[in-house]
Amino acid sequence: MSKRIWQHPEVPADETTVSWRSVGQLEDTPHFRSWMEREFPQGVAEMANEEDAEVSRRSFMKLMGASTALAGFGLAACRRPESYIIPYNKAPEWVIPGKATYYASSMPRPGGAVPLVVTTFEGRPTKVAPNSLHPDMSGTDAFAQASVLDLYSPSRSRTVLNNAQASSRAEFEKVLATVAADGAAKVAFVFGHDDSPTRARLIKDLKAKFKAAEFFAYEALEGTQVLADGVAQVVDFEKADKILSLDSDFLCLDGQGKTSAFFNRRKPEGAAYDKKANPDSMNRLYVVESVYSMTGGMADHRLRVAPSQVLRVAAQIARELGVNAGSAVEAITDEKHLKWIKALAADLKASGSKSVVLAGSRQSAAVQQIALAINAALSSAAVKGVKRDTSGLGNFDGLVEKLKGGAIDTLFLLTPANPVYDAPANAGFEAAMAKAKTVIHLGSRTDATAHKATWHVPVTHYLESWGDGRTLTGVYTVVQPMILPLYGDCVSELELLAALLTADGKLITGETADGKPSPAYDAVRATFEAIGGKGDEPWKKLLRDGFHAKSTYESAELTAAAGTISAPPAASGVEVIFSTDGSVYDGRWIDNGWLQEAPDPISKISWDNAALIAPETAKNLGIYDEIVQLETERAAKSPDAEGPQRTGPLIKVKVNGEELVLPAMIAFGQAENTVVIPLGYGQGFDKEDKFNRNAKGNSPASHVGLVGVNSGFNAYPLRHSETKYFATGASVEKAEGKYPLALVQEHFAMYGRALAREISTMEDEKKGDFAEQLQNVAKQGNDAHAPENISLYKQEDKKGDPHLSDKIHQWGMTIDLSSCMGCNACLVACQAENNIPIVGKEQVMKGREMHWIRMDRYFAIEKPEAGKEKDVFDLGNPALVPQPVACMQCESAPCETVCPVNATVHDQEGLNVMAYNRCIGTRYCANNCPYKARRFNFFDYNKRNPLIAHNLYKGPFGEKQVGTAPHLQRNPNVSVRMRGVMEKCTYCVQRLKDAKIRQKRGQKQEVLLTGERSSQLSVSNETLRIPVDSVKVACQEACPAGGIEFGNLLDEDKSVMGRAKKSERNYELLHYIGTKPRTTYLARVKNPNPTMPDAPSIGKATIHMH
Amino acid sequence: MANFFPRWTNFLPLKIAICAGAVATGAVFAFTYYATPKTLAAGYQPSQPIPFSHKIHVDQLGLDCRYCHSFEDVSGTSNVPGSNTCWNCHQHVRKDSPKLQPLRDRMDPTLKSPDFGKPVKWVRVHKLPDYVYFNHSAHLNRGISCQSCHGDVDRMETVYQKNSLSMGWCLECHRAPENHLRPLEEVFNLKYDPQVYFNEHQAEMQNLGVKKPEDLGKVLKEHWNIHSKETCATCHH
Amino acid sequence: MGATSTEHAPSETRQGPKIPVLERENLILSGRSYHWITERIVGVVENRQPFLWWLLFIPCALIAMVGVGMGLTYLVSTGVGVWGMSNRVFWGWDITNFVFWIGIGHAGTLISAVLFLTRQNWRTSINRAAEAMTIFAVMCAGIFPAFHVGRVWMAWFLAPIPNANAIWQNFKSPLLWDVFAVSTYFTISLIFWYLGMVPDLATIRDRCKPGLRKMLYGIFSLGWRGGNRQWSHYEMAYLLLASLSTPLVLSVHSVVSFDFATSIVPGWHTTIFPPYFVAGAIFGGFAMVLTIMVPARQIYGLHDLITMKHIDNMAKIILLTGTIVGYAYLMELFVAYYSGAKYEMDAFKYRITGPYWWAYLAMMSCNVLSPQIFWFKAARENLWVIMGVSMCVNAGMWFERFVIIVTTLARMFLPGDWKSYSPSYVEMALFIGTIGMFLALFLLFLRFLPCINIAEVKWTLKESDPHFDDHHDHPDEGVQTIPSYQHELHSNAKA
Amino acid sequence: MSTTRKRVYGYLAEFGSASALYKAAEKVRDAGFRKWDCHTPYPVHGLDGAMGMKRSILPWFVFFGGMLGTATGFGLAYITQVEIYPTVVQAKPANLFTVPAFFPIMFELTILFSGFTTLFGLLALMKLPRLNHPLFASRQFHRATDDAFFIALEARDPKFHFDKTRAFLEEIGGKSIELVEEED
């Protein structure tokens, strides 16, 4: 055969990706593997085998990733465009091109570091997952999952600014050098609320060097500290049988302890589903709150009261328990509430030390004091005090005072918060800050504070810097970099502090000029040597495991600072609650597309915030003419329309002398007479803004990136120092106009369909006791009477073999609604793992969001018979049941048969697979999917930036975003879908495939070990079957509640999933249509207290449906 | 009144039909032959920046595949060696060969070449589309040799693409893997001949119940529990 | 006609038993001659077009160019997202319009094939136009499924061509059945239409002066000479095509209905869909024939060819099929109720009371109520009423498809995914564009092709019967006048 | 008219009405002519019998064409879905029992193939397209597609006689009898 010889063109001048450093020097001997070594192949991609990887680990970050570059079509190739393979110049050890490498690290957070395992591909971190070895592992929340996107965020700050003008790092270094040289400088540092032992150590050194130095900590939503300085309360939910939350969202935004223990006790069969369902093993959660939180959604009993009334309720409970709650707080007079409180108090008392009362960190000191007092009175075993390393830091008020007093010349703002934007309006922070000569802001975004500061220095992401931290309970965990800082100007907090500690203030970041590691590395190592011992061994172990379990917080006394319990503010006017947002937290995540697009777990709004109002209040305030009911009959559109037309009526909220116009939205289960405004939005606007807010010039678009621009309404100006959490005396009136809202879910009720099923441990008049209800889980709703679907066909091929013929693996999943709280962690984890694009507000309004997991959230309340409305405890407090829905991998999948081109078919292992490259986009499959689990690429969301206004609609003339930094986050093992193709969940098939192939390699190892000929080896199904539950899918891994179990059905009882499937709570969603889904749900179990007045309506979301 | 159409037009439709039919048939055959991966992809033989000869290194010097492509049995992708792999020998061997100048430029700091430290841009020969996830280790560890896809690389002076690498071609083997299976010890042996192997390992073959060399693949398939799949997710995800 | 023309002995007719047959109304009025018919019909093609033609054609062509041309260019270059669909309602106006147009096409085939087989000779005046309507409607219909796909450039995956990927289509998919059904339907309709036109094209050819027109008509009339040795095969072919088209037309809309009926979607998953869809198609198709032919008759003065009898017949068919459709609507509700399945019942409840109640109401009133006026003869004789009802039915049938597709998808199984749909301007433009395209093509057809089947119309004249003179020569006292077109029935009945 | 050599095609005679033509045709048939035809503007009923023609064999073509279509549909579906590359869709079998799902396509292909055989079979039987024909050279033949009824007797017929045939045509009522000549 004649071979065509192709003259390739001259290699063009080497262009390296901006994002990577070019080649550095490294040890010279490449690591060649001998035959001997091949007998014991390197464990790749597994944490446990990484021990000796550590030494060379730093090196790979210096190297260019093995990549292929496509040289344009025009070049010498008429047959095919020439592409190149660019290998490492000097192969780094431990990097195997094409294989993921995993590192243990952690993410510093105000509530304690989150222990993580980070997936990297050729040095690119692409995904984070919880570190399952860590004693404090409690999954990851959406914020942690989404944090990896921030590393590559195009709006990430990457250059030094001087007075909001672009400057250079060299200029800044000069300033830093001057500060460092002057031991008498009046410097002050403001840190965040995360806890870092190394930082604490450096602070001591700084104190020694700078005699006049002041140290503060500030975060916008830091809560009320009633305990002694540095003391925090940690809850052990394993020991808590009865939990009362006084407005504490301890499961999600207000962490107080390892939550997995709590969730484990929501499963009557035990966390591993290995026991018989026993209601007594379950804990019981009481929640007193104003607006539905994730925790409130999990509550067995929930009392909705206005925020000012939480204290009254708390005091009443205290009184019932004989705890002194002072005399300033009025007693509860409402009969119903009183009954509720009495029964609750009795229950707490009965459980004694196994009861615990948790106060929301942002509730007033009085509530916290009462909670502490009750716990003390009950001698609750579940709470203990710990002493954090953060003691000795001043608070925000102190900072402002010092600033005003001129005691600070140079202010280092190292907090992740954005005080110019998020400080209380009456604190006068901006004016005070102006008094400092130099303000140096270290931040990841060019936010309001960055613009007001003298110097803004971009901070490194935690995935590119050395550091350490402590989890909530104080376990020492390390923060290690996965990659050198992407942008040269970026500085980490520790590097900055380290620079100040040197005589010349030389700032070294990433690595030194001669390739030595960053000073932060030395600092962390030095800290650890004191904690974990000297030498390489403990250090290597730390890096391998990510934590040092032996070092935790010392325990401390849980005593409140002295102070009498003061009366709550008088309930006047409407009460405005400034809530922590589930998507942007305090505003810091406003530029994170995944979080912005993830719908709020409760309200289901994405891309915006809105004022949430209970239906009756909305009517009373004149926002709606009638009470907006939880619609269950006609499936009619809401009064604010639906889909692209969905709006919220604008209202004007006046409080604390400020006013804010924003859209309102009805929220069910919220206390009457309250308005909830999530914080953190409205940071920057451009000309596309509906209200022209950029015209005023106070929130310019430069404060945010494309993600956060024009997003939501800023409620911080309404907030005063005294009313950080809620303010009374507000007035609300209807304003002119409407504002479009992107709601991911528009219908909140189940419409009489037993979808997200619920039972209760308490006997039901019609449906019997727990055991009976348990037995009838699979027979709820339509399934009670619909006959079984029987197929006329045998599922066979022409040889008579069954279709799902694989005898090694048959995949299955369970989702336990009893522990699912609907927090979106799985949704974002899936997005990170599977390269799911964001689509922007406009597309979300049209219903085109791409999340493979749709987090449905239903409100359920049984309509009382006519005339019996009064008997129901609270008609305005429907139960909240979340239900994540992704592709169910139906064995009899309706989507498959309708695809004309065989783009979606079943594989032998029971997966409903999707060949994107075969799909032509008829969308028929998605229409025929009863769960609507399929997502269509209506536009080229990956190629065209959906965030630029109208860009998607410009077609070929639109702006492209290929090659921008976010594309570096992509998982290389998952196809990036183009426009016009359908996509959906496939149980992370790339992970399954990887696990199977890894297992197959075992065969070879076996041969080589025995020394036998390979042909003599007989390989059984068991050899090829991956170890039980050894592969985790992204959503399961991320779930903080242990709600998702995945495994091999052929492992049967050995697999947690297999045992869960055997549970009586197991049911198939829409069983009656006969799709035989591989994903099944476990009904939610409510554990009400029968003596409570609201008990008859608990756990009744679906049982009476038929 | 005369005929409007001349007489020759009577045969015109037939002639047109025959011509059109012939052209269409020709076009179909031409397309099948020239515009399918068999022709388009197979036989691609680009020249490389350094004319590395597999023939010399493998056939004459006896290097193992994995000396350079070190992770092919571990990773999904088979890596191309970095310059230091070459340099390991070639800083001592054939130090003056002009063909190796690009390598020296990149690796020898004393030359002060502007290319120093830059990687060699090898021209890619075997390329699958982005949406195809072929896993080298899955095949090599289960008795499919490099040779089955890449051909007799040991005899190639300049590497070319032997097979079409089309999906149809992949399926051929996935439907009948026994035609390509060989003992694991022989996976990297590019000179493997089933007949020779059969003759040399009589006892082993007897043990296995293999009567003819052709049966070896079938027996191995059964022995090793090999069920190569044809479903989409095997390669596309 | 082929099937019955053999062994036809005229003598038997004369001596046959006395079968009383009602004298039928003449299909062609005013005792027109063969030549008059030729003049009249070919005149439409030969003469200058009335000003009205241009007045209609130019805007229609422009609308077609903008709506279809630009609409599709934008769609393909930018993505299906320019339409209003979402990840909840994946089909909207696209498939609604597809089913709508396909349905319209069906009346054409029905008139030409089914009425041919059932010897409804009144069809001859309208079948050509109705067939043309079929062709153009199928062309309009085809645009939607072809371009609604996300990757039009990959649509060749639908064709079973051996390929290097060694992968094939899914022959179990109703959508693939659709591909085969619609393309077969288009092909067969085109053959049927064209073959039917050959003798008429020859008529035009024979009247043309030598030139381009004569050449084109000459080529397309294939050298037709009207010899009986050709007529004999021709009639047989026509009969065969008619008998092929009849089951075909039933199958096509059945297959289209399978897109819905074989799914599991409540409100779609029902066995009555095939007959219901076919009846609906005939219903809507006849309405469209009337909508087009009534004005064309006025404009071109074809009153003697398309008589009130034709219109009356069509109105009756509309009444019948409208009632069948109404029955189907009610039966659907009953089936849902009787199923006992909550999801089924709800699907219909939401159709009627949900956010799209107006579409349901429009469908019901246009399709079921409005044709009921045809019970009255006066209504069937008033062209304004007829036009009004036809328009109503056209709209009603569109709403029917909209109700089935959109309202169902917007309220499926899980309330969590419910979201309503609203079309984008691009979609609307495309639909209007196809209307423009349909009308423009129809106007071109009127302009260039014989809009009435000349040969067949001549054949309905009384004197076309070879025994016409016989009756006049030998009036038979005992036999009532038997119109020519009754002959073969007569002889068949005897046999 | 041209001066080239001409070949006689035959006689063309017009008849006043369908009835006249019918009766004349019976007589021509009875006279034993073989190569002749009646040219009419529309298909005249019973003329086949009057001319002594057999039923068209087109249905046989179409039958086999249709059967080929059915077989193609079945073969295409069965071979690709069961033999070559069976896929698992909605748990439906991939064996003989899956054939009902192929019926729609088998049916459509039956119709399609029948349609094509009808078209091409018809063209073959009618020996069309033939754009040039001696009859088109006739002065009056253009009326055959309008309102005239003709009988054309071909010179190729063994019974054809230059004079006798003309007389015969006159006898059976033919008018405007014309000798049609073919240009060569």
PDB file of all heavy atoms in Angstrom, chain A residues 43-59:
ATOM      1  N   GLY A  43      -0.195   2.098  42.237  1.00  0.00           N
ATOM      2  CA  GLY A  43      -1.600   2.407  42.458  1.00  0.00           C
ATOM      3  C   GLY A  43      -1.807   3.834  42.010  1.00  0.00           C
ATOM      4  O   GLY A  43      -1.239   4.764  42.562  1.00  0.00           O
ATOM      5  N   VAL A  44      -2.551   3.985  40.994  1.00  0.00           N
ATOM      6  CA  VAL A  44      -2.785   5.335  40.544  1.00  0.00           C
ATOM      7  C   VAL A  44      -4.159   5.743  40.989  1.00  0.00           C
ATOM      8  O   VAL A  44      -5.009   4.902  41.221  1.00  0.00           O
ATOM      9  CB  VAL A  44      -2.726   5.449  39.014  1.00  0.00           C
ATOM     10  CG1 VAL A  44      -1.337   5.815  38.602  1.00  0.00           C
ATOM     11  CG2 VAL A  44      -3.197   4.194  38.399  1.00  0.00           C
ATOM     12  N   ALA A  45      -4.336   6.977  41.052  1.00  0.00           N
ATOM     13  CA  ALA A  45      -5.673   7.506  41.241  1.00  0.00           C
ATOM     14  C   ALA A  45      -6.290   7.053  42.527  1.00  0.00           C
ATOM     15  O   ALA A  45      -7.481   7.068  42.684  1.00  0.00           O
ATOM     16  CB  ALA A  45      -6.557   7.069  40.088  1.00  0.00           C
ATOM     17  N   GLU A  46      -5.480   6.589  43.426  1.00  0.00           N
ATOM     18  CA  GLU A  46      -6.076   6.215  44.693  1.00  0.00           C
ATOM     19  C   GLU A  46      -5.325   6.895  45.819  1.00  0.00           C
ATOM     20  O   GLU A  46      -4.108   6.837  45.897  1.00  0.00           O
ATOM     21  CB  GLU A  46      -6.054   4.711  44.873  1.00  0.00           C
ATOM     22  CG  GLU A  46      -7.307   4.088  44.351  1.00  0.00           C
ATOM     23  CD  GLU A  46      -7.131   2.631  44.041  1.00  0.00           C
ATOM     24  OE1 GLU A  46      -6.012   2.217  43.770  1.00  0.00           O
ATOM     25  OE2 GLU A  46      -8.113   1.927  44.076  1.00  0.00           O
ATOM     26  N   MET A  47      -6.074   7.478  46.669  1.00  0.00           N
ATOM     27  CA  MET A  47      -5.474   8.205  47.759  1.00  0.00           C
ATOM     28  C   MET A  47      -4.528   7.354  48.550  1.00  0.00           C
ATOM     29  O   MET A  47      -3.460   7.768  48.911  1.00  0.00           O
ATOM     30  CB  MET A  47      -6.587   8.637  48.694  1.00  0.00           C
ATOM     31  CG  MET A  47      -7.053  10.006  48.472  1.00  0.00           C
ATOM     32  SD  MET A  47      -7.781  10.525  49.964  1.00  0.00           S
ATOM     33  CE  MET A  47      -8.956   9.236  50.256  1.00  0.00           C
ATOM     34  N   ALA A  48      -4.973   6.135  48.845  1.00  0.00           N
ATOM     35  CA  ALA A  48      -4.245   5.312  49.787  1.00  0.00           C
ATOM     36  C   ALA A  48      -2.837   4.995  49.306  1.00  0.00           C
ATOM     37  O   ALA A  48      -1.950   4.719  50.093  1.00  0.00           O
ATOM     38  CB  ALA A  48      -5.020   4.033  50.036  1.00  0.00           C
ATOM     39  N   ASN A  49      -2.635   5.024  48.018  1.00  0.00           N
ATOM     40  CA  ASN A  49      -1.334   4.621  47.521  1.00  0.00           C
ATOM     41  C   ASN A  49      -0.416   5.784  47.215  1.00  0.00           C
ATOM     42  O   ASN A  49       0.555   5.656  46.498  1.00  0.00           O
ATOM     43  CB  ASN A  49      -1.510   3.791  46.245  1.00  0.00           C
ATOM     44  CG  ASN A  49      -2.116   2.449  46.579  1.00  0.00           C
ATOM     45  OD1 ASN A  49      -2.093   2.046  47.745  1.00  0.00           O
ATOM     46  ND2 ASN A  49      -2.672   1.786  45.597  1.00  0.00           N
ATOM     47  N   GLU A  50      -0.753   6.904  47.748  1.00  0.00           N
ATOM     48  CA  GLU A  50      -0.039   8.071  47.295  1.00  0.00           C
ATOM     49  C   GLU A  50       1.123   8.473  48.170  1.00  0.00           C
ATOM     50  O   GLU A  50       1.767   9.464  47.905  1.00  0.00           O
ATOM     51  CB  GLU A  50      -0.985   9.247  47.239  1.00  0.00           C
ATOM     52  CG  GLU A  50      -1.594   9.384  45.894  1.00  0.00           C
ATOM     53  CD  GLU A  50      -2.610  10.455  45.965  1.00  0.00           C
ATOM     54  OE1 GLU A  50      -2.433  11.376  46.776  1.00  0.00           O
ATOM     55  OE2 GLU A  50      -3.575  10.370  45.250  1.00  0.00           O
ATOM     56  N   GLU A  51       1.298   7.690  49.182  1.00  0.00           N
ATOM     57  CA  GLU A  51       2.273   8.045  50.190  1.00  0.00           C
ATOM     58  C   GLU A  51       3.529   8.697  49.648  1.00  0.00           C
ATOM     59  O   GLU A  51       3.860   9.826  49.970  1.00  0.00           O
ATOM     60  CB  GLU A  51       2.657   6.783  50.951  1.00  0.00           C
ATOM     61  CG  GLU A  51       2.859   7.040  52.393  1.00  0.00           C
ATOM     62  CD  GLU A  51       2.678   5.742  53.162  1.00  0.00           C
ATOM     63  OE1 GLU A  51       1.864   4.896  52.722  1.00  0.00           O
ATOM     64  OE2 GLU A  51       3.345   5.602  54.169  1.00  0.00           O
ATOM     65  N   ASP A  52       4.173   7.937  48.789  1.00  0.00           N
ATOM     66  CA  ASP A  52       5.473   8.454  48.370  1.00  0.00           C
ATOM     67  C   ASP A  52       5.345   9.399  47.194  1.00  0.00           C
ATOM     68  O   ASP A  52       6.335   9.848  46.644  1.00  0.00           O
ATOM     69  CB  ASP A  52       6.423   7.310  48.039  1.00  0.00           C
ATOM     70  CG  ASP A  52       5.710   6.171  47.383  1.00  0.00           C
ATOM     71  OD1 ASP A  52       4.486   6.332  47.105  1.00  0.00           O
ATOM     72  OD2 ASP A  52       6.323   5.154  47.141  1.00  0.00           O
ATOM     73  N   ALA A  53       4.119   9.662  46.819  1.00  0.00           N
ATOM     74  CA  ALA A  53       3.941  10.593  45.716  1.00  0.00           C
ATOM     75  C   ALA A  53       4.256  12.002  46.163  1.00  0.00           C
ATOM     76  O   ALA A  53       4.573  12.864  45.355  1.00  0.00           O
ATOM     77  CB  ALA A  53       2.511  10.533  45.223  1.00  0.00           C
ATOM     78  N   GLU A  54       4.202  12.190  47.425  1.00  0.00           N
ATOM     79  CA  GLU A  54       4.222  13.539  47.946  1.00  0.00           C
ATOM     80  C   GLU A  54       5.429  14.343  47.508  1.00  0.00           C
ATOM     81  O   GLU A  54       5.320  15.478  47.097  1.00  0.00           O
ATOM     82  CB  GLU A  54       4.140  13.483  49.475  1.00  0.00           C
ATOM     83  CG  GLU A  54       3.977  14.815  50.134  1.00  0.00           C
ATOM     84  CD  GLU A  54       5.293  15.522  50.273  1.00  0.00           C
ATOM     85  OE1 GLU A  54       6.315  14.854  50.496  1.00  0.00           O
ATOM     86  OE2 GLU A  54       5.293  16.742  50.121  1.00  0.00           O
ATOM     87  N   VAL A  55       6.612  13.709  47.627  1.00  0.00           N
ATOM     88  CA  VAL A  55       7.844  14.462  47.430  1.00  0.00           C
ATOM     89  C   VAL A  55       7.842  15.161  46.084  1.00  0.00           C
ATOM     90  O   VAL A  55       8.214  16.320  45.971  1.00  0.00           O
ATOM     91  CB  VAL A  55       9.059  13.528  47.567  1.00  0.00           C
ATOM     92  CG1 VAL A  55      10.326  14.335  47.397  1.00  0.00           C
ATOM     93  CG2 VAL A  55       9.017  12.857  48.918  1.00  0.00           C
ATOM     94  N   SER A  56       7.380  14.444  45.084  1.00  0.00           N
ATOM     95  CA  SER A  56       7.474  15.040  43.756  1.00  0.00           C
ATOM     96  C   SER A  56       6.188  15.739  43.366  1.00  0.00           C
ATOM     97  O   SER A  56       6.078  16.256  42.281  1.00  0.00           O
ATOM     98  CB  SER A  56       7.773  13.953  42.742  1.00  0.00           C
ATOM     99  OG  SER A  56       6.786  12.983  42.849  1.00  0.00           O
ATOM    100  N   ARG A  57       5.245  15.731  44.256  1.00  0.00           N
ATOM    101  CA  ARG A  57       3.944  16.236  43.882  1.00  0.00           C
ATOM    102  C   ARG A  57       3.964  17.679  43.429  1.00  0.00           C
ATOM    103  O   ARG A  57       3.270  18.082  42.539  1.00  0.00           O
ATOM    104  CB  ARG A  57       3.002  16.054  45.053  1.00  0.00           C
ATOM    105  CG  ARG A  57       2.562  17.292  45.736  1.00  0.00           C
ATOM    106  CD  ARG A  57       1.138  17.136  46.124  1.00  0.00           C
ATOM    107  NE  ARG A  57       0.852  15.737  46.367  1.00  0.00           N
ATOM    108  CZ  ARG A  57       0.294  15.301  47.462  1.00  0.00           C
ATOM    109  NH1 ARG A  57      -0.028  16.156  48.381  1.00  0.00           N
ATOM    110  NH2 ARG A  57       0.029  14.054  47.610  1.00  0.00           N
ATOM    111  N   ARG A  58       4.801  18.452  44.051  1.00  0.00           N
ATOM    112  CA  ARG A  58       4.817  19.853  43.714  1.00  0.00           C
ATOM    113  C   ARG A  58       5.270  20.059  42.285  1.00  0.00           C
ATOM    114  O   ARG A  58       4.943  21.049  41.659  1.00  0.00           O
ATOM    115  CB  ARG A  58       5.754  20.614  44.656  1.00  0.00           C
ATOM    116  CG  ARG A  58       5.309  20.588  46.067  1.00  0.00           C
ATOM    117  CD  ARG A  58       4.134  21.508  46.304  1.00  0.00           C
ATOM    118  NE  ARG A  58       4.460  22.874  45.908  1.00  0.00           N
ATOM    119  CZ  ARG A  58       3.732  23.578  45.091  1.00  0.00           C
ATOM    120  NH1 ARG A  58       2.659  23.059  44.588  1.00  0.00           N
ATOM    121  NH2 ARG A  58       4.068  24.793  44.777  1.00  0.00           N
ATOM    122  N   SER A  59       6.043  19.116  41.824  1.00  0.00           N
ATOM    123  CA  SER A  59       6.660  19.345  40.532  1.00  0.00           C
ATOM    124  C   SER A  59       5.656  19.345  39.392  1.00  0.00           C
ATOM    125  O   SER A  59       5.791  20.122  38.459  1.00  0.00           O
ATOM    126  CB  SER A  59       7.711  18.281  40.284  1.00  0.00           C
ATOM    127  OG  SER A  59       7.203  17.043  40.686  1.00  0.00           O
TER     128      SER A  59
END
